[in-house]
Amino acid sequence: MNLRNRLYRFMQGRNGVDALSVFLNRLSFGCLIGAILFTFLSVLFLRREATTASTVFQVLYFIAYGIGIILLVLWFFRVFSKNVAKRQAENTRHLYRMQKLRRKWASVKQQWKDRKTYKYFRCPQCRQKIRAPRHKGKIRVTCSKCSHIFITKT
Ligand SMILES: [Zn+2]
């Protein structure tokens, strides 16, 4: 049996690489790069005899390195796990969270782009986000979600 077949056999019934694993892998990589950076800074400050700063970066190095290794272990655990149903549920939750985060980020970007033409505020009753054109003075707003009526300045 060649290596490829053996690998295929080995991976059968296991979770394999999914979106959450890729995410963990990148996060782990980021932490390890951070750890290298912190070591570099620690040595740099030590050479300048700034021992406190050097110690701080040494601690940061250990934290970043530790988290990086933990994430890598998690990655291995997820890829080779045989509890596929549970791993898939985790992956679905991860995708959902990412989607929510992307939507939030898009909304923040849009709000920043519109900041001169639109005022953004929340309904005082249900917290629904509402926008209105700026420079219209005091306006009466009816919430699109709960129909609450309130006055606001634009
Ligand atoms: Zn409302």
Side-chain angles (χ1 to χ4, degrees), residues 123 126 128-131 141-148 150:
C123 167
C126 73
Q128 165 72 27
K129 206 199 256 178
I130 303 167
R131 69 169 200 180
V141 181
T142 307
C143 174
S144 55
K145 198 172 163 194
C146 71
S147 307
H148 178 63
F150 59 99

Side-chain angles (χ1 to χ4, degrees), residues 39-98:
T39 315
F40 180 73
L41 286 168
S42 172
V43 171
L44 203 77
F45 278 108
L46 196 65
R47 278 204 184 150
R48 295 185 175 188
E49 276 156 33
T51 39
T52 315
S54 177
T55 309
V56 167
F57 281 115
Q58 214 163 4
V59 170
L60 284 174
Y61 156 77
F62 276 114
I63 293 169
Y65 187 72
I67 294 172
I69 294 297
I70 289 168
L71 290 171
L72 206 62
V73 169
L74 267 176
W75 179 86
F76 268 101
F77 168 73
R78 292 199 77 263
V79 170
F80 300 115
S81 171
K82 283 187 167 173
N83 193 345
V84 177
K86 206 166 174 189
R87 300 291 88 79
Q88 275 178 353
E90 286 164 3
N91 192 47
T92 306
R93 276 202 298 275
H94 163 72
L95 288 173
Y96 177 72
R97 275 197 300 267
M98 284 292 127

Side-chain angles (χ1 to χ4, degrees), residues 96-154:
Y96 177 72
R97 275 197 300 267
M98 284 292 127
Q99 198 185 33
K100 240 169 82 176
L101 214 68
R102 261 197 291 274
R103 238 184 261 152
K104 200 159 195 175
W105 175 237
S107 140
V108 166
K109 267 201 320 206
Q110 188 64 41
Q111 209 169 313
W112 178 252
K113 242 174 77 185
D114 289 348
R115 71 192 182 282
K116 280 181 182 140
T117 43
Y118 285 98
K119 190 191 171 180
Y120 286 82
F121 46 91
R122 285 191 183 275
C123 167
Q125 192 158 290
C126 73
R127 311 297 300 154
Q128 165 72 27
K129 206 199 256 178
I130 303 167
R131 69 169 200 180
R134 279 195 185 278
H135 313 304
K136 300 275 183 211
K138 271 189 183 173
I139 57 162
R140 207 176 71 140
V141 181
T142 307
C143 174
S144 55
K145 198 172 163 194
C146 71
S147 307
H148 178 63
I149 296 168
F150 59 99
I151 307 282
T152 191
K153 264 207 285 189
T154 57

